[in-house]
Amino acid sequence: MQRRYDIDALRTLAFCLLILYHCAMLYVADWGWHLKSPHQSEALQWPMLVLNRWRMDLIFLISGLSVHFLLRGTGAGRFLAQRSWRLLLPLTFGCLVVVPIQPYAQGVANGLVEPGFGAFLLRYYQFKPWPPGAFDGWQYGFTWNHLWYLAYLWVYTVALTALLPLLRSRAGRRLQAALASLRGGALLSLPALPLALFSILLQPHFQETGDLIHDWYRHAIYFSVFLYGYWIGNDAGLWAELARLRRRALALAPLLFAAYAALIALLPDDMPQSVQYLVWTVRSFYIWTALCAILGWSHHLLNRPLRWLPWATEAVYPWYVLHQSLIVLIAYWILPLKFGPLAEPAIVLGGTVTGCFVLHELIRRVPLLRPCFGLKARKQRAPAGVGPALATAPKPA
């Protein structure tokens, strides 16, 4: 089966966008984050909102696509074991080693943690509650911060594996075929209806707290698009239709966002419930149309062996694990130095990219570190003069 270069490229670009988004969180006004710069801008709110509505939906949809390809020719048990290793080890290592600088910096900035990172770690690894409001997750004693995606993805992977008998049943295949057969306006609209329904039924009752156990609204949305990705898979007809509709989707998505933005800007906070349902429905259609535009254009433009793609495909996982801790660390260092509104974000972004690049180049060369950042074990080269039949290599994790 031919490799889908567009999916690899889209995954890379989606996580690059995530890095830019998290850098911008330092500067967008009125949006809480772990640290905030004095150089905040209200003008950033609208472009950030454009991205915020679909950025994680796109990442979970791509994850579902990846599962579709990984399951081909692999037993469910072996697949689940492999995915658990590649998700839970980086999650655990990241929580213990990579993430702690974030709650430390946030706690010091809030005046609720004493300076001194070594002493902080000794207290942090006790996993006891911290003073209220010290950092995000203070009540649990630790936090996974941006690595929440790995925990959610593992849960969805387990759920999908458990559902495989149903998904592969006659009824499941009919449902998948029905989705793959959508064309034209039906493809741009019908998959948005479950997203709107879940928003209406669940969003009033479950806040988006990042609490894995009680985050049922986001679970419904993210697991739905995760399943969409799995169902879309490699259906040539559906991908051709997404490419054909790319211009229509790209024209429609901004119109839907404009309608959504007008509604939330002009309507009062205490709007009638029926009007709130309308707002969420328009938002759901914007999300799905934006996803269709992204999938269609990426398939049209990126489904070819780009020179940078092999390196980027390997780099994306370590860069994801590292980036937010580097953003927070660099901001913690330079905010007291009072750089200007241009120099400061340039230093934060440039330092984050440089740090990710350097650390990734180190990680990819150290066998013990590779699995801690989601990388497969490297195949060993056969010694000179040893034929292929005698060469041995560890199997990829």
Side-chain angles (χ1 to χ4, degrees):
M1 182 179 64
Q2 183 180 3
R3 187 171 185 88
R4 286 293 303 275
Y5 299 107
D6 55 325
I7 296 173
D8 290 336
L10 186 57
R11 180 190 299 110
T12 299
L13 295 175
F15 280 98
C16 288
L17 188 64
L18 185 68
I19 294 174
L20 289 173
Y21 182 89
H22 284 155
C23 285
M25 284 298 293
L26 280 166
Y27 302 101
V28 60
D30 302 326
W31 290 23
W33 207 55
H34 313 294
L35 293 179
K36 299 296 288 188
S37 168
H39 307 297
Q40 297 179 37
S41 169
E42 292 186 0
L44 267 178
Q45 292 180 7
W46 287 109
M48 289 286 282
L49 192 63
V50 169
L51 301 178
N52 178 270
R53 299 299 86 175
W54 50 259
R55 63 185 183 89
M56 290 308 304
D57 303 76
L58 175 62
I59 289 175
F60 278 110
L61 189 145
I62 295 170
S63 299
L65 282 167
S66 300
V67 166
H68 173 90
F69 291 105
L70 290 169
L71 271 170
R72 297 173 77 94
T74 303
R78 184 167 182 262
F79 162 77
L80 184 58
Q82 291 175 340
R83 297 306 292 164
S84 296
W85 173 255
R86 295 197 66 191
L87 292 173
L88 296 183
L89 178 60
L91 174 62
T92 304
F93 180 85
C95 287
L96 295 177
V97 178
V98 179
V99 168
I101 188 61
Q102 299 181 46
Y104 170 74
Q106 185 179 3
V108 172
N110 291 340
L112 296 170
V113 170
E114 292 292 327
F117 189 55
F120 169 82
L121 287 179
L122 291 176
R123 167 72 171 80
Y124 187 76
Y125 291 144
Q126 297 176 30
F127 304 109
K128 296 178 180 178
W130 289 77
F135 54 82
D136 296 347
W138 62 267
Q139 60 270 50
Y140 307 109
F142 76 102
T143 179
W144 50 39
N145 277 5
H146 68 294
L147 299 185
W148 67 268
Y149 160 72
L150 298 180
Y152 282 50
L153 180 56
W154 180 76
V155 171
Y156 301 163
T157 301
V158 172
L160 186 142
T161 305
L163 289 172
L164 279 178
L166 178 61
L167 296 174
R168 291 171 172 173
S169 67
R170 181 176 299 179
R173 291 184 183 277
R174 285 179 179 174
L175 181 60
Q176 181 175 354
L179 178 63
S181 68
L182 294 177
R183 297 293 183 267
L187 179 56
L188 295 178
S189 59
L190 292 183
L193 293 178
L195 307 183
L197 180 62
F198 291 140
S199 297
I200 291 169
L201 294 178
L202 297 176
Q203 188 169 352
H205 308 292
F206 299 98
Q207 295 182 353
E208 300 181 42
T209 61
D211 180 347
L212 177 67
I213 305 301
H214 304 101
D215 205 5
W216 290 105
Y217 160 62
R218 291 206 303 177
H219 285 324
I221 299 297
Y222 292 155
F223 188 61
S224 294
V225 294
F226 179 75
L227 281 177
Y228 286 170
Y230 171 77
W231 279 331
I232 289 171
N234 200 34
D235 187 279
L238 182 57
W239 280 101
E241 182 67 0
L242 286 168
R244 187 184 73 83
L245 294 171
R246 66 188 186 279
R247 291 186 178 87
R248 190 189 308 181
L250 187 60
L252 186 57
L255 295 177
L256 287 168
F257 179 80
Y260 168 67
L263 289 171
I264 62 175
L266 299 176
L267 292 173
D269 292 338
D270 58 344
M271 69 183 77
Q273 198 171 49
S274 59
V275 178
Q276 180 65 79
Y277 294 163
L278 172 64
V279 174
W280 289 338
T281 300
V282 173
R283 182 188 65 192
S284 299
F285 277 85
Y286 162 64
I287 291 170
W288 178 247
T289 306
L291 293 177
C292 287
I294 293 167
L295 293 175
W297 279 102
S298 66
H299 188 60
H300 177 69
L301 297 174
L302 301 174
N303 195 20
R304 51 197 175 92
L306 301 161
R307 182 176 297 181
W308 50 267
L309 194 53
W311 178 88
T313 299
E314 182 194 59
V316 65
Y317 206 153
W319 281 53
Y320 160 69
V321 173
L322 293 166
H323 80 277
Q324 186 163 295
S325 289
L326 286 170
I327 293 170
V328 171
L329 176 61
I330 294 167
Y332 177 73
W333 282 340
I334 71 169
L335 289 183
L337 302 179
K338 301 186 184 302
F339 286 98
L342 296 179
E344 184 187 287
I347 293 171
V348 171
L349 179 58
T352 300
V353 171
T354 301
C356 286
F357 179 85
V358 171
L359 289 172
H360 167 236
E361 289 301 312
L362 172 65
I363 291 163
R364 66 196 294 259
R365 290 168 168 79
V366 180
L368 288 177
L369 287 179
R370 288 180 65 88
C372 296
F373 289 87
L375 301 182
K376 294 180 180 180
R378 269 186 168 176
K379 292 184 178 180
Q380 298 175 351
R381 294 182 180 179
V386 178
L390 299 179
T392 59
K395 292 183 178 181

